C-alpha cells in the first residue's frame, strides 16, 4: 500500500473546510459510506460463463462481447480475481453469486439437483473475508431454456424443472445467509419472452405468477433469505415481449411483499430508475438494485459516474432509502481487463453515494421554504464542490489506492497472473 500522500491530506483539509461552510460534515459522510455495502456480481469475472462446463453457451438474451485475455476459468481463479478487485475498492462489500458458479467437482449436477454443499467453497471464502453473499437461480444457458421460456413455459415439465431450480436456489440462499449471519437476497430473473409480436400476452404471465407462487410457497426466515424478482422490458431475441415486465413484477412484489429488483438497464433507453425508488418503496418492504448502464440494445455496460447513476445515489441518500435497499451491480464487459471493470463500476457507485452523502441540507431547506430559485442555484453549485478530495481521503482511510493508483495494481496483477492463463 502506498504511503499516505501529503497533497491528499492537504486537499482534504481544505475540502473539509469548504464543505463545513455549506454545513456539511465530511467525516460523517465518510463514516456513513463505510456502512453501505455493494454486492459485487461474480459474473463480470468470467463473462457470465459459470462452472458447469457443459459447453452450453450464454443464452437468455444477454450477451458479452470482447475477448480480453485472462478470464477466470475456475472458482479459485475467480476468487483470486475478486480478492484483487476488493483490495482496490474502499469499504466492506458482498458477493453476488449465480447458481451455475457452484463447485460440482467435475460431476454433472443439473440445475434441479443443486444443493448448499456445492457452494461451500464460496461460503468459506466469504466467511474468511467477513463478507455477506447474495444469490441467483440461473434460468438461462441451459438446454431447457433454449426456446426462450422457463418459469412461464407452456409445457408443465419444463416449468416444473425451473420451479425446482428456484426452490433449491432459495434454500441455498437461506443456507448461505445462515452460515454468514447476514440475509442473502435471492433474486429471480428469467429471460422469458418473444422476439416477435405475441398473439397471447396474458397466458405466459398467468403461468409465471403460478410458478412463482410455487417457488415461494415455503416460508423462509427473512433473517436468512430475502426473495427478489427482477423485471425487464426487452432483451436480445425478446424484443417484442418480456413476460416478467415491470408492471408484472411490481404487481407481484406488492401483492406478495417481495423485494422488487430494479435493473438500471431494463427500461426504455432514456428511462432511469431513480424516480421509481421512492414510489416502489411505498409499497414493498425493501428493494434490490442492479446498478448497470444501458447503451442502445445492451443493458449491461460498466457503470460510469453519469447523471443516471448520480440520481440513483441521491435518491437513496436523501431520505435514507438506502437502508431499505440492497445495492447490487450487474454489468459485464469482456473488452477490457475484467478486474478493472469491477473496480471502475464499484468505485463509481461508491463515489456517487459519497457525493450524495455530501449534499448540503440547504438544498432541501430551500425547497421546503418554497424558494425554488435557490434550490436550482444550489443544485448546480454543489456539482463543483471538492468531493474528489474527500474521495481520495476516504480511499486512503480504507487502505486502498486513491486516484488512479489502483490501475497500476491491476496492471501488475495482469502481468503476474492473468497473462499466464
Ligand atoms: C439480465 C438481468 C440479470 C442478469 C444476471 C446475470 O438482463 O439483468 O440480472 O444480468 O442474472
Ligand atoms: Zn440485472
Amino acid at each position: 500500500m502506498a504511503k499516505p500522500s501529503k497533497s491528499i491530506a492537504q486537499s482534504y483539509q481544505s475540502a473539509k473546510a469548504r464543505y463545513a461552510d455549506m454545513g456539511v460534515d465530511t467525516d460523517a459522510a465518510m463514516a456513513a459510506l463505510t456502512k453501505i455495502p455493494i454486492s459485487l456480481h461474480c459474473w463480470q469475472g468470467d463473462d457470465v460463463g459459470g462452472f458447469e462446463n457443459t459447453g452450453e453457451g450464454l443464452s437468455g438474451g444477454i450477451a458479452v462481447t470482447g475477448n480480453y485475455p485472462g478470464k477466470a476459468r475456475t472458482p479459485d481463479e475467480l476468487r483470486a480475481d475478486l480478492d484483487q478487485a476488493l483490495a482496490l475498492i474502499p469499504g466492506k462489500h458482498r458477493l453476488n453469486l449465480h447458481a451455475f458458479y457452484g463447485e460440482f467437482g467435475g460431476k454433472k449436477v443439473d440445475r434441479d439437483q443443486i444443493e448448499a454443499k456445492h457452494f461451500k467453497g464460496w461460503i468459506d471464502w466469504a466467511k474468511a473475508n467477513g463478507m455477506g453473499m447474495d444469490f441467483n437461480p440461473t434460468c438461462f444457458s441451459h438446454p431447457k431454456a433454449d426456446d426462450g421460456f422457463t418459469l412461464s413455459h407452456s409445457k408443465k415439465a419444463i416449468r416444473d424443472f425451473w420451479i425446482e431450480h428456484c426452490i433449491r436456489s432459495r434454500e441455498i440462499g437461506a443456507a448461505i445467509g445462515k452460515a454468514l449471519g447476514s440475509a442473502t437476497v435471492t433474486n429471480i430473473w428469467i429471460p422469458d419472452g418473444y422476439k416477435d409480436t405475441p398473439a397471447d400476452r396474458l397466458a405466459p404471465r398467468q403461468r409465471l405468477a403460478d410458478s412463482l407462487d410455487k417457488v415461494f410457497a415455503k416460508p423462509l426466515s427473512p433473517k436468512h433469505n430475502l426473495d427478489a424478482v427482477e423485471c425487464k422490458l426487452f432483451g436480445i431475441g425478446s424484443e417484442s415481449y418480456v413476460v416478467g415486465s415491470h408492471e408484472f413484477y411490481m404487481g407481484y412484489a406488492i401483492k406478495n411483499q417481495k423485494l422488487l429488483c430494479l435493473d438500471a438497464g431494463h427500461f426504455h433507453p432514456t428511462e432511469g430508475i431513480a424516480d421509481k425508488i421512492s414510489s416502489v418503496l411505498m409499497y414493498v418492504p425493501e428493494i434490490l438494485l442492479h446498478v448497470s448502464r444501458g447503451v442502445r440494445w445492451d443493458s449491461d455496460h460498466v457503470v460510469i459516474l453519469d447523471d443516471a447513476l448520480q440520481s440513483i445515489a441521491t435518491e437513496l441518500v436523501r431520505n435514507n432509502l438506502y437502508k431499505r435497499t440492497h445495492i447490487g451491480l450487474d454489468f459485464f464487459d469482456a473488452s477490457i481487463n475484467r478486474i478493472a471493470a469491477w473496480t471502475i463500476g464499484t468505485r463509481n457507485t461508491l463515489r456517487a453515494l459519497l457525493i450524495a452523502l455530501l449534499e448540503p441540507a440547504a438544498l432541501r431547506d430551500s425547497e421546503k421554504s418554497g424558494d425554488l430559485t435557490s434550490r436550482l442555484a444550489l443544485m448546480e453549485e454543489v456539482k463543483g464542490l471538492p468531493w474528489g478530495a474527500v474521495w481520495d481521503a476516504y480511499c486512503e482511510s480504507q487502505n486502498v489506492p486513491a486516484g488512479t493508483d489502483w490501475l497500476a495494481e491491476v496492471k501488475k496483477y495482469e502481468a503476474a497472473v492473468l497473462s499466464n492463463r
Side-chain angles (χ1 to χ4, degrees), residues 87-307:
L88 305 172
I89 297 164
K92 262 267 161 262
H93 301 291
R94 301 172 65 84
L95 172 72
N96 194 5
L97 197 69
H98 240 287
F100 71 160
Y101 286 80
E103 293 175 78
F104 306 112
K107 286 197 212 90
K108 174 157 170 56
V109 177
D110 210 347
R111 303 270 172 90
D112 61 345
Q113 299 296 318
I114 56 167
E115 292 174 50
K117 68 177 186 206
H118 300 122
F119 300 90
K120 187 178 179 302
W122 288 105
I123 296 170
D124 290 346
W125 175 83
K127 201 179 265 174
N129 284 304
M131 293 168 72
M133 274 176 65
D134 300 304
F135 198 67
N136 308 260
T138 309
C139 301
F140 52 85
S141 302
H142 187 281
K144 287 197 165 67
D146 273 355
D147 61 3
F149 285 84
T150 62
L151 289 178
S152 74
H153 205 284
S154 57
K155 288 203 182 98
K156 181 173 182 297
I158 306 267
R159 287 201 305 280
D160 286 347
F161 175 85
W162 292 110
I163 290 170
E164 181 63 25
H165 175 57
C166 291
I167 288 175
R168 284 171 179 255
S169 293
R170 288 180 77 225
E171 301 273 6
I172 292 164
I176 294 171
K178 193 171 178 195
L180 298 176
S182 167
T184 298
V185 178
T186 300
N187 175 53
I188 297 182
W189 171 73
I190 58 163
D192 302 26
Y194 282 121
K195 181 183 179 73
D196 228 326
T197 317
D200 183 353
R201 291 174 184 268
L202 180 61
R205 290 185 170 140
Q206 289 170 328
R207 290 193 293 264
L208 176 55
D210 184 64
S211 293
L212 290 169
D213 288 348
K214 292 185 167 116
V215 168
F216 296 133
K218 180 173 168 188
L220 294 175
S221 167
K223 277 199 198 126
H224 302 146
N225 183 76
L226 297 166
D227 300 306
V229 287
E230 180 177 4
C231 62
K232 188 167 182 173
L233 179 66
F234 66 92
I236 302 168
S238 56
E239 289 85 357
S240 302
Y241 171 73
V242 163
V243 182
S245 62
H246 178 46
E247 290 73 10
F248 175 89
Y249 276 127
M250 191 161 91
Y252 191 89
I254 291 171
K255 181 175 174 199
N256 299 286
Q257 290 298 288
K258 299 294 179 193
L259 279 67
L260 184 67
C261 173
L262 297 171
D263 182 311
H266 283 190
F267 294 86
H268 283 285
T270 57
E271 185 179 358
I273 61 168
D275 186 41
K276 303 181 192 302
I277 295 169
S278 55
S279 298
V280 166
L281 277 174
M282 303 239 334
Y283 303 107
V284 296
E286 296 179 1
I287 55 170
L288 168 66
L289 298 185
H290 274 186
V291 180
S292 188
R293 177 169 55 108
V295 177
R296 303 194 190 278
W297 51 80
D298 175 54
S299 66
D300 302 285
H301 274 51
V302 178
V303 168
I304 59 171
L305 188 57
D306 57 6
D307 288 349

Side-chain angles (χ1 to χ4, degrees), residues 12-20 23-33 354 357-358 386-387 389-391 393-394:
Y12 177 65
Q13 283 315 316
S14 64
K16 185 177 165 146
R18 180 78 185 86
Y19 274 106
V24 176
D25 180 343
T26 50
D27 291 329
M30 289 199 279
L33 190 57
L354 179 64
L357 288 162
L358 290 167
W387 62 266
V390 183
W391 169 253
Y394 180 66

Side-chain angles (χ1 to χ4, degrees), residues 25-68:
D25 180 343
T26 50
D27 291 329
M30 289 199 279
L33 190 57
T34 61
K35 300 209 174 73
I36 308 181
I38 309 288
S39 199
L40 264 78
H41 53 315
C42 71
W43 53 93
Q44 164 58 60
D46 77 331
D47 313 341
V48 206
F51 297 129
E52 289 173 327
N53 298 315
T54 54
E56 186 81 16
L58 177 60
S59 77
I62 51 179
V64 187
T65 49
N67 56 358
Y68 201 86

Side-chain angles (χ1 to χ4, degrees), residues 367-385:
E367 179 172 287
K368 263 186 235 151
S369 68
D371 182 358
L372 306 188
T373 309
S374 298
R375 181 185 67 182
L376 181 60
L378 282 170
M379 227 176 242
E380 293 308 295
E381 272 314 307
V382 298
K383 291 178 181 170
L385 289 178

